[in-house]
Amino acid sequence: MKCESCDNEATVHDTLLREGAWVEVHFCEACAAKQGIAQPGASLNDLLTNFVLPQIAGEAAKRPKPAKARTPVCAECGFTFEQFRQAGLFGCPSCYTAFESLLLPLLERAHEGAMQHVGKVPKRITEAASGKESVNGARALAERRERLEREKLLRRQLDDAVKSEQYELAAKFRDQLQRLLDSSRAADPSRNA
Amino acid sequence: MAGRKNNPAPEPDPQGGNPDSGSGSERDPRAGGIPNGGTLGGAGTLAEWLTNGGEACDVVLSSRVRLARNLAGHLFVHRAAKDERERVLQTCRDWILGANVCDRIMWVDLHESPQLDRNLLVERHLISKQHAKGKPAGSGGAVSPAADEPRAVAISIPDERLSIMVNEEDHLRIQMMHAGLSLEECWKHVSAIDDKLEAGLDYAFSPKLGYLTACPTNVGTGMRMSVMLHLPALKVTGEIEKVKRAATDMNLAVRGFYGEGSDAIGDLYQISNQTTLGKPEGAVLTELQDSIIPEVIQYERHARNTLLSKRRAALDDQVFRALGALTHARLIAADEAMQLLSLVRLGVVLGIIPNLSVQAVNTLFLLVQPAHLQRVLGKEMDQEHRRIGRAAMIRERLTK
Ligand SMILES: [Zn+2]
Ligand SMILES: [Zn+2]
């Protein structure tokens, strides 16, 4: 099978939300990386290491083959990401945490690029947040949100720079992104998926 | 808060029937049975969105806002076995019936209702087709037909504005429907009911992703706002395709009278938001209510005026041919009736057809549907007899 964007062999197969419907897509690794599609089990960091960074360095041919796809499992309900792809539905609320790293690109596509809820919040959450302990929680939430926004922006800029072959600029964004990801991991161990 | 358990049926049942017992069909409609198609013409039993015109009712039939909610600590419905679905149903039922969400509420256990009753609720836009059919149980449960899976709907009566589906794709689908262009009213109303429900039900919620739903296309606000529009003039002029394209470009969905996959029978279109993450409810509301929908309305009105001023003879001809067919047909299918009713409705709002109300036509949109027709005529019928009965009913209603 051929890649949808070029003539290479398609090796990355994914199911994406497009205009509210699930569609099968097939890309070669390079094009998949450009589309922001991760291999099952790949975190953003893997994606960068395996696809984006070697490309920048012009080492695409030498890049390591991605690890054999592992399908993550929700510890709460036993649902696998593969099952989710087939059903289009999650097994339980905890699946959102279990599959977070795989989910964000999907969400971004389905919801005009957004990855953070804004709008109504159940009262018990707001009330809990008005307690002393949760003031910190709210601040942490705001910081995390800011980091995510920044991460999103950097990924876009990096992507654009690579597309327009501005490799110096790309390297700068890559370094910034790497620092941000490192500091996120330090600040928020839950993102260490 | 758990101690606040009111009488499960806020209104005592004068017929002495158990308001919680399965199918509504054996209950007197006044006591809260399934809305009886046979009494639709009578006062007080017609859904509010059909009787009241509401704002911009020449173009807008109804506005709807629905919220998807799930209970924390439970599997999503499609994955849950029968016993877990039963527990969720029980929890939701106890709280919904006790939380005083409206003056009178009717509870229908769909797994115990006859198919005709379930179809009636679909036609009235009170449950989805999927909810009428049911979803097969997840692994681990005893194998049983989808239609037997524990699920229900709670409906406010007699206005039928509120419906709460339990165990649809999400544990709760809370829907508010008002006549005309009234998204703001619907949103305020449904949000207040949501507040009452969340006081006793522990919703699955994440500060980052919002309300967690079975399908990630609904995560965030879990909110879908939609407006049902009658756009016959844009259909005639062919400009409807432009509207559809523009809507798609703005991440809106355009669907037919009965939602996903249904054609725009009777020139009825539903426009709704698709984005639920990263955009607060108020922003979606403003966008639809103050900008997009009014533009579509103006567009349709402009097309109607153009037809009136430039193609009057052809317009009159189409409208009266439709009326003629409806008042003289002896066999008629639902889709054909809808298409003809659409032109008659256009004729009524433009003053071409005197002595007929928009409400009468709106009501017929519903009564020509198979389940309603059979309820009105009081018996189950095969297709040919439905066509005969439908033609007779339309003749009677349009010529008296
Ligand atoms: Zn390619
Ligand atoms: Zn799960």
Side-chain angles (χ1 to χ4, degrees):
Chain A
M1 187 177 296
K2 277 192 177 167
C3 167
E4 288 179 14
S5 311
C6 70
D7 277 346
N8 292 338
E9 185 68 14
T11 51
V12 179
H13 311 279
D14 203 353
T15 313
L16 303 179
L17 276 171
R18 276 188 188 153
E19 288 162 14
W22 291 99
V23 290
E24 293 274 338
V25 294
H26 312 278
F27 291 111
C28 70
E29 280 170 16
C31 292
K34 277 186 207 153
Q35 300 279 330
I37 298 167
Q39 287 277 35
S43 67
L44 174 63
N45 202 39
D46 296 339
L47 184 71
L48 283 170
T49 324
N50 291 333
F51 306 131
V52 182
L53 302 184
Q55 236 184 6
I56 295 166
E59 295 173 335
K62 287 187 275 168
R63 72 173 165 264
K65 281 270 171 283
K68 192 173 182 316
R70 299 160 275 143
T71 279
V73 179
C74 170
E76 191 72 29
C77 74
F79 215 49
T80 66
F81 196 69
E82 211 38 55
Q83 281 175 298
F84 160 67
R85 279 173 203 247
Q86 275 159 28
L89 301 171
F90 281 127
C92 78
S94 300
C95 287
Y96 279 94
T97 321
F99 306 133
E100 185 180 353
S101 58
L102 293 165
L103 182 64
L104 290 179
L106 291 182
L107 287 178
E108 206 179 354
R109 279 193 195 81
H111 298 283
E112 302 180 58
M115 298 202 284
Q116 169 64 49
H117 171 62
V118 277
K120 190 168 179 176
V121 171
K123 285 209 174 57
R124 67 178 164 81
I125 307 266
T126 1
E127 276 159 18
S130 64
K132 198 176 174 187
E133 200 176 321
S134 299
V135 170
N136 293 332
R139 192 176 303 134
L141 190 70
E143 281 168 11
R144 179 171 165 159
R145 191 176 156 179
E146 205 184 294
R147 268 202 307 275
L148 278 171
E149 286 301 311
R150 218 171 116 62
E151 182 182 316
K152 210 167 86 184
L153 179 70
L154 280 170
R155 283 174 59 194
R156 284 237 171 89
Q157 290 173 323
L158 175 59
D159 199 40
D160 289 345
V162 172
K163 270 192 197 132
S164 58
E165 302 184 6
Q166 295 176 278
Y167 295 121
E168 258 175 55
L169 197 61
K172 202 183 97 193
F173 289 136
R174 179 201 58 197
D175 292 345
Q176 283 179 8
L177 186 57
Q178 198 55 58
R179 274 200 298 279
L180 183 73
L181 290 173
D182 290 344
S183 74
S184 298
R185 247 185 295 278
D188 184 1
S190 72
R191 274 183 59 80
N192 212 345
Chain B
M1 60 188 168
R4 216 177 112 257
K5 289 266 153 69
N6 296 348
N7 179 358
E11 177 90 348
D13 182 354
Q15 306 301 306
N18 176 4
D20 296 335
S21 72
S23 159
S25 61
E26 64 255 22
R27 280 177 277 145
D28 188 294
R30 284 165 301 170
I34 285 189
N36 190 328
T39 62
L40 273 174
T45 51
L46 197 54
E48 187 268 350
W49 66 276
L50 284 170
T51 39
N52 274 352
E55 200 186 320
C57 68
D58 55 331
V59 180
V60 181
L61 267 78
S62 63
S63 302
R64 269 198 285 178
V65 178
R66 78 106 169 98
L67 303 175
R69 300 289 188 254
N70 287 279
L71 305 192
H74 286 275
L75 295 174
F76 289 137
V77 180
H78 75 108
R79 184 120 167 96
K82 192 167 189 168
D83 56 337
E84 183 162 10
R85 294 189 194 193
E86 253 155 22
R87 281 197 302 278
V88 168
L89 191 68
Q90 191 64 44
T91 306
C92 292
R93 182 171 101 161
D94 287 351
W95 189 257
I96 290 169
L97 294 179
N100 256 328
V101 290
C102 55
D103 285 348
R104 294 182 65 192
I105 198 157
M106 173 178 77
W107 181 272
V108 184
D109 282 314
L110 295 166
H111 48 291
E112 292 171 7
S113 304
Q115 193 185 0
L116 194 62
D117 284 359
R118 285 182 269 137
N119 291 347
L120 203 70
L121 295 171
V122 174
E123 291 175 3
R124 289 174 96 83
H125 296 278
L126 293 167
I127 65 172
S128 61
K129 279 183 194 157
Q130 182 191 309
H131 207 42
K133 276 190 288 207
K135 233 176 196 284
S139 54
V143 179
S144 63
D148 294 342
E149 285 302 321
R151 65 197 192 285
V153 63
I155 300 164
S156 70
I157 49 172
D159 62 35
E160 296 176 28
R161 283 172 156 178
L162 169 71
S163 91
I164 307 174
M165 286 188 273
V166 185
N167 280 346
E168 209 248 20
E169 183 177 291
D170 296 296
H171 294 140
L172 293 167
R173 288 275 176 108
I174 314 161
Q175 172 189 285
M176 184 60 64
M177 180 159 59
H178 285 207
L181 181 57
S182 51
L183 285 174
E184 187 170 3
E185 281 173 79
C186 288
W187 161 242
K188 282 185 179 153
H189 200 164
V190 80
S191 183
I193 284 161
D194 183 45
D195 290 345
K196 287 183 180 179
L197 295 181
E198 69 159 48
L201 298 170
D202 190 14
Y203 287 160
F205 181 87
S206 125
K208 181 177 171 189
L209 293 176
Y211 294 92
L212 301 176
T213 51
C215 180
T217 49
N218 295 315
V219 79
T221 60
M223 184 194 71
R224 188 82 73 231
M225 284 189 170
S226 65
V227 178
M228 177 90 70
L229 301 144
H230 184 224
L231 306 174
L234 290 176
K235 181 69 182 299
V236 169
T237 61
E239 289 161 301
I240 191 70
E241 292 306 320
K242 278 190 216 163
V243 173
K244 281 192 200 167
R245 271 198 303 273
T248 313
D249 287 346
M250 286 182 284
N251 278 300
L252 301 172
V254 182
R255 302 192 171 95
F257 190 48
Y258 284 113
E260 223 145 336
S262 72
D263 291 332
I265 307 159
D267 307 319
L268 296 168
Y269 296 84
Q270 299 186 63
I271 296 185
S272 58
N273 68 298
Q274 306 217 83
T275 305
T276 54
L277 189 62
K279 201 183 258 186
E281 295 89 347
V284 177
L285 173 68
T286 311
E287 213 173 85
L288 281 172
Q289 169 111 355
D290 300 338
S291 145
I292 294 165
I293 301 298
E295 262 175 53
V296 178
I297 294 171
Q298 282 316 314
Y299 204 23
E300 166 69 19
R301 283 179 181 158
H302 182 259
R304 289 178 186 182
N305 286 334
T306 308
L307 291 179
L308 271 179
S309 59
K310 302 224 169 83
R311 294 163 67 185
R312 180 64 196 255
L315 176 65
D316 283 0
D317 182 65
Q318 290 289 303
V319 165
F320 282 109
R321 273 172 191 267
L323 186 61
L326 285 170
T327 49
H328 290 86
R330 290 301 187 267
L331 277 174
I332 195 163
D335 287 5
E336 186 189 355
M338 294 277 285
Q339 216 46 61
L340 296 169
L341 283 168
S342 168
L343 288 163
V344 168
R345 191 181 190 276
L346 179 65
V348 169
V349 295
L350 293 179
I352 296 170
I353 300 176
N355 308 324
L356 188 61
S357 71
V358 181
Q359 284 75 23
V361 182
N362 290 353
T363 305
L364 274 172
F365 274 132
L366 200 59
L367 294 188
V368 298
Q369 304 302 325
H372 273 83
L373 180 73
Q374 293 174 77
R375 187 52 77 83
V376 172
L377 300 179
K379 56 183 175 205
E380 290 199 31
M381 291 174 290
D382 63 23
Q383 196 179 55
E384 172 158 359
H385 284 94
R386 284 208 300 272
R387 290 183 174 187
I388 296 170
R390 185 179 291 118
M393 178 199 65
I394 296 170
R395 279 204 311 279
E396 198 212 312
R397 288 192 165 247
L398 288 181
T399 53
K400 74 178 171 204

